[in-house]
Amino acid sequence: MLDFYRNEWHGSFNGTEEELSLLLSRAADAVNNTIIMRGYTVDSVPEILKQPVCKAVCAQADYIESQGGVESLTEGSYSSVTLGRFSYSDGTQNGAVSASGGSLCILAKEYLESTGLLYRGVAVY
C-alpha cells in the first residue's frame, strides 16, 4: 500500500515511512470495517476491485491526516452530546459520512460505491 500511495495516488504525506505505514493501516481498518460484510478485506478483494479499494484507503489516509493525524482518532472529542433532555451539537460534519462499522470520508466512499462493496442487502446466490 505504501508504493500505491506514493507512486499511483501521489499522496502528499511528508512524515516518515513508519508514520505513513501506521496512517495507511488505520485507513485500511476504516475501509475494512465498511466492506467486511461482503466477505472481503482490503488485502483480499478480487484484482478487479483492487484499484478503487486502494484509492479509498489512500483517500481515507489523507482525510485522517487532514483531521489531525492518527492521534486524532483517539482524542475523544465529541461533536454532539446528549444528557437527559439536554442536547448539544457543534454542527460540524468535517466531510465524513457515517458507515456501518466505521466512518469514511466522502471521497473514500465514492471510490467504494462503484465496487458494490457498500451494498448491505441480501446476497442472492
Side-chain angles (χ1 to χ4, degrees):
M1 189 64 67
L2 288 167
D3 288 336
F4 187 91
Y5 183 86
R6 294 219 190 270
N7 301 322
E8 292 189 48
W9 180 258
H10 302 290
S12 60
F13 181 78
N14 60 4
T16 67
E17 200 82 1
E18 184 177 316
E19 291 169 330
L20 178 57
S21 180
L22 179 61
L23 181 63
L24 289 168
S25 176
R26 294 303 178 266
D29 289 345
V31 172
N32 281 337
N33 286 339
T34 303
I35 67 174
I36 195 74
M37 293 296 289
R38 300 295 295 160
Y40 295 111
T41 66
V42 168
D43 296 324
S44 70
V45 293
E47 194 61 37
I48 194 165
L49 302 178
K50 200 61 139 168
Q51 186 168 12
V53 169
C54 287
K55 285 182 177 184
V57 171
C58 292
Q60 185 67 22
D62 285 347
Y63 174 76
I64 292 169
E65 182 61 23
S66 74
Q67 298 302 305
V70 173
E71 298 81 24
S72 70
L73 297 174
T74 59
E75 284 181 354
S77 62
Y78 299 99
S79 62
S80 66
V81 176
T82 302
L83 181 62
R85 296 171 77 190
F86 172 77
S87 180
Y88 166 79
S89 177
D90 71 2
T92 60
Q93 288 289 334
N94 294 329
V97 290
S98 181
S100 179
S103 184
L104 290 181
C105 71
I106 292 170
L107 185 57
K109 183 177 181 278
E110 287 174 356
Y111 281 120
L112 292 175
E113 282 176 344
S114 66
T115 66
L117 294 171
L118 297 180
Y119 179 70
R120 298 281 187 215
V122 176
V124 178
Y125 297 99

